[in-house]
Amino acid sequence: MKVLFSEKRMFPICLVCLFFLLLLITVPWGRLYGSTTDWLSQHAALAETIRDACLSQGTLLPGFLPLGGGSNGFCFSYYGYLRPDIFIGCLLPKLPMAPFLILYMLAGYLASVLLGYVFFVRNTGSRKLALFGSILFLTAACFFHTHRQVMFVNYMPFLLAALLAIERGKSRLAALFFVLVCCSSFYYAPAAFLAAGIYWQGVKGRGFFCPWLKTVFLSAGLSAVLLVPSLLVILEHRRALSEASAVPLFLPKAEFLLYSPYGMGLTAVCLYLLLAGLGIKGLRGRSLLFLALCFCGVFAWLLNGTLYARGKILVPFVPLLILHGMQVLKRMHRAHAWYLFPFVPLACCLYAYRGSSRFLPMLAELLTLFLVCVLLRLFHRADNRRPALACSLYCLLLLAPVLSFVRAAESETFVTKEQYEAAEHSFWFAAEPLYRFDSLYEPLSAANRTAEGVPKSSMYSSVTNQAYAAFYYDILQTPIQINNRIALLPEENPFLFQLMGIRYLKTTKEKLPEGYHVLAEDKDCVLAENPNVLPIAYVTEDVLAEEEFEELSDTQRLAALMCATVVEKAADLSSLRTADFLSDGISSVVRQTAPVFSETECTGELQLSPLASGGYDVRAGEDAALTITLKEPLKKDILLLDFQVENKDRTAVVITVNEIKNKLSGKTAPYPNENDCFHYQLSEGGEGLKQLTVTFSPGHYQLTDIQWNLFSKQALTAKQYKQVTAMETTGNEILCCTAESGEDGWFVTSIPLQRGLSIQVDGSKAEVVRVNTAFAGVKLSEGRHRITVSFTPPGLAAGACVSAVFLAGSLISLCVRKRGLRTKRTL
């Protein structure tokens, strides 16, 4: 029993028990360990899609995914292409991926805590200090992302294992663990490498640099098969950030360290120990380093690849910062020196949080911390050493981190069983080839989910084809429904449905777009089909030069795309139908109008005031809505409604018209969508569009430059084209077909043009031309042709070669070293 209840065994057992206790407290009964934000829409969905792609393509690194019209698979490698849960999921293909993802994150979280305990023991020599530090580590708010943005923390057990290998002098083993860091979350690998370098310097002194650099170089080389194609696709599709995302780089950023789940998520106890380290010789330099890292945005900006200065990139430094805090605490305890000077900068941090929801919790923690410091000073001054009393005071310091962790978890919206089943629900249907499937039912959670391998126009990834995104939102004027525009989500837009070949839709009866009929119905959603949309690939002769297309207005461009195909190179045009179309076609397709209303009715807290310059000043409260009844129903036309939005508040603006939603993100949004022009495409079948129901989000904003245009429904199917015949694909082919072309024929696809995409016509590689501003096409000669569209991720072969060379070199070096050791022993 004495051995059983020894510190060596009891402290890890206590950590495991506390881990599960916090889970029981923070996760509501009957909910999944996953968030409705990001986890459901990105990670759980992508785990299924990537697993399906791995199985269908026979590789753990699928080169192409049927999302976003068809994308380089490495656009999604940021989410973990070689994660253990996906590998296990491939071995058990009949089981859903969500349970594997949950178990993977919980196992990684618990492993991180236990490895952290071992790490603190080996570097402090005290199990009690290690237990104290491990509880701070366990309750760090950054682990909030084990059920939200998993790549923020899923590398942590491998990082700690690498640090332990460094401590034992096993650099090759550390390199292997860093390979696992890269495979789990390569975006955080540079910060993890830097954290290892800081720790290595503390362990080995000045001689750390060469072995550290060799380890980094080796792990990066072994991971090249993943890193090289991922880097190339990021560079290809790197997006420009808006001014709204810029911050002063040297402005102190307390949230990088304190409380925020999107930073390190530590509490004032850790900041106190960092500041106290400034008064201890030998620890002063490391305290200055961590304070600069936490409070100067320039470091976060650099580690984020100069994209933005956000504290999430500093999470790999959490173990080192807590270790440093425990070393400070050990020295303070031995010297009986509990400093009070850190409370001056702590009070400044408290003042910075005034008006914030974190002000009162931080005030309570600082008062508790001050009380503990005073009592410990008095306790040691009286030379009355009672370990039980000191232990009680230390436990009091842990109260705030535990409560902070619970408070952060309470802000989470965990996924219910019903929400997960609704997101995973799919209809079984035999899809026609060369068409797409999309969902208007919970579009965010469905963005990265495929149905029976049928391609989609939607996607949600931090790496997005910018030309395709511009076509999706700017040219087709698809409403933007959420705070950012990196998520490409379908909305009721007939131009999107037509041009992207969205033949199949998952939607509701209440939101059934015109032209679609119900194929199947299940619970509160339906599967609908519109056989009149354009296929993914076809042959046409009606073309329009891109230079002429760019001179058209936004609404004229919609008309042009419905009737003709826009091609990049005007010199290749030989058809004269374009000139006739420009002179006569557009004016008959789209026309500006002035709306005529029979009545309008305001409900809820809504105040509309006309502006002298035109438009309206809107002050909306709860249940603000406006109902507009048209004098004459619109039967043959689609109503195109557009207006500019100027936000006078800091909150987001959401305006929904006939269930079509547009959103302008708030001024504090991390990825502002800049959607200041709202677009709506409104139509109804049967008796036509009679009424507009407009709902307004609470706030103060102005609507100006209100435009009403009518678009002829007949123009949706005006494009003349020839069908192609789909054939079975092999290898890296994503489309194979036969096509009949006239003298001026063009093979047109709605597959986004991107590096690595090639088109072969009759076995010969053809010159790929950009069509419709974002897609791939080729000019055809007259006759019948066999056409294949193939995709090979740029850099995949080179990365595989580099990884193979590094692996072979490592194995040879290991064999030579072992033979050398045997020879020495023999001698």
Side-chain angles (χ1 to χ4, degrees), residues 274-582:
L274 275 182
L275 294 167
L278 297 174
I280 300 176
K281 187 178 180 181
L283 298 177
R284 189 174 296 118
R286 195 56 64 95
S287 281
L288 285 171
L289 173 63
F290 286 128
L291 286 170
L293 193 68
C294 297
F295 286 90
C296 286
V298 65
F299 296 105
W301 178 70
L302 290 172
L303 289 171
N304 277 303
T306 70
L307 291 174
Y308 38 61
R310 299 193 69 198
K312 62 183 182 180
I313 198 64
L314 302 178
V315 173
F317 298 94
V318 169
L320 299 187
L321 195 147
I322 292 178
L323 172 62
H324 178 69
M326 295 308 96
Q327 292 170 338
V328 171
L329 186 59
K330 183 176 182 179
R331 294 278 292 273
M332 288 169 59
H333 182 75
R334 287 181 176 177
H336 302 171
W338 286 85
Y339 301 111
L340 297 181
F341 75 85
F343 286 97
V344 175
L346 283 171
C348 295
C349 284
L350 179 64
Y351 179 75
Y353 278 105
R354 68 191 184 282
S356 168
S357 60
R358 297 189 178 111
F359 177 80
L360 290 179
M362 186 175 182
L363 175 62
E365 184 179 10
L366 289 183
L367 291 175
T368 303
L369 182 59
F370 184 79
L371 176 63
V372 169
C373 289
V374 171
L375 289 176
L376 285 172
R377 286 173 67 93
L378 295 174
F379 167 64
H380 288 303
R381 188 172 295 173
D383 198 26
N384 185 13
R385 304 186 180 183
R386 300 181 205 172
L389 179 58
C391 181
S392 299
L393 292 175
Y394 285 135
C395 290
L396 194 61
L397 291 178
L398 293 173
L399 183 62
V402 172
L403 292 177
S404 176
F405 176 86
V406 173
R407 187 168 176 268
E410 287 177 345
S411 68
E412 181 65 283
T413 305
F414 289 93
V415 175
T416 64
K417 182 181 178 181
E418 292 74 19
Q419 287 174 317
Y420 174 71
E421 289 178 349
E424 289 293 314
H425 173 271
S426 62
F427 288 95
W428 295 88
F429 65 100
E432 290 290 332
L434 300 177
Y435 292 96
R436 293 189 173 94
F437 165 88
D438 257 308
S439 179
L440 298 181
Y441 182 80
E442 301 293 342
L444 182 60
S445 61
N448 288 328
R449 286 179 166 85
T450 58
E452 301 301 311
V454 183
K456 305 186 72 173
S457 73
S458 64
M459 66 179 292
Y460 191 178
S461 173
S462 297
V463 183
T464 308
N465 187 319
Q466 294 304 293
Y468 177 62
F471 176 84
Y472 204 91
Y473 281 135
D474 298 333
I475 294 179
L476 294 185
Q477 302 177 10
T478 304
I480 299 176
Q481 307 170 56
I482 63 173
N483 275 334
N484 65 64
R485 64 165 62 216
I486 62 174
L488 304 182
L489 307 179
E491 183 51 288
E492 195 170 343
N493 180 351
F495 308 111
L496 173 68
F497 299 155
Q498 183 70 17
L499 287 172
M500 292 306 300
I502 302 174
R503 181 167 180 162
Y504 305 98
L505 268 181
K506 181 181 178 183
T507 183
T508 62
K509 283 185 176 180
E510 295 75 19
K511 197 171 184 177
L512 184 65
E514 186 177 357
Y516 285 83
H517 63 274
V518 175
L519 288 179
E521 183 176 352
D522 187 12
K523 297 180 181 178
D524 57 346
C525 58
V526 299
L527 174 67
E529 180 186 17
N530 180 0
N532 296 318
V533 299
L534 289 170
I536 292 175
Y538 55 89
V539 175
T540 185
E541 296 180 1
D542 293 329
V543 291
L544 173 65
E546 194 169 282
E547 294 88 342
E548 298 179 34
F549 178 77
E550 291 174 352
E551 295 176 358
L552 302 176
S553 67
D554 290 344
T555 52
Q556 289 175 334
R557 288 180 181 182
L558 292 175
L561 287 170
M562 291 300 103
C563 302
T565 297
V566 178
V567 297
E568 178 183 7
K569 298 180 180 180
D572 292 338
L573 302 180
S574 56
S575 174
L576 299 178
R577 298 173 187 176
T578 297
D580 296 336
F581 167 75
L582 284 177

Side-chain angles (χ1 to χ4, degrees), residues 605 618-622 647-649 651-653 696-701:
E605 301 175 12
V618 180
R619 294 181 184 271
E622 294 296 325
N647 192 3
K648 298 297 183 180
D649 288 340
T651 56
V653 178
F696 301 88
S697 63
H700 178 206
Y701 36 91

Side-chain angles (χ1 to χ4, degrees), residues 113-160:
V113 173
L114 296 178
L115 286 170
Y117 173 76
V118 175
F119 177 67
F120 298 142
V121 168
R122 295 190 66 87
N123 286 275
T124 62
S126 170
R127 297 188 186 278
K128 292 179 180 178
L129 279 177
L131 178 64
F132 187 90
S134 297
I135 295 175
L136 291 179
F137 187 51
L138 167 64
T139 57
C142 59
F143 284 111
F144 175 88
H145 292 287
T146 52
H147 47 73
R148 182 170 282 197
Q149 287 280 12
V150 302
M151 80 285 285
F152 288 10
V153 291
N154 64 345
Y155 55 86
M156 191 63 75
F158 307 122
L159 172 58
L160 285 162

Side-chain angles (χ1 to χ4, degrees), residues 42 46 67-79 230 232-240 307 447-448 457-473 482 484-489 671 752-754 774:
Q42 296 184 64
L46 276 172
L67 301 174
S71 301
N72 186 332
F74 288 88
C75 287
F76 303 89
S77 62
Y78 169 66
Y79 296 91
S230 297
L232 291 179
V233 77
I234 289 173
L235 293 175
E236 179 183 0
H237 300 313
R238 181 186 176 107
R239 64 183 185 275
L307 291 174
N448 288 328
S457 73
S458 64
M459 66 179 292
Y460 191 178
S461 173
S462 297
V463 183
T464 308
N465 187 319
Q466 294 304 293
Y468 177 62
F471 176 84
Y472 204 91
Y473 281 135
I482 63 173
N484 65 64
R485 64 165 62 216
I486 62 174
L488 304 182
L489 307 179
Y671 306 103
L753 183 62
Q754 52 202 302

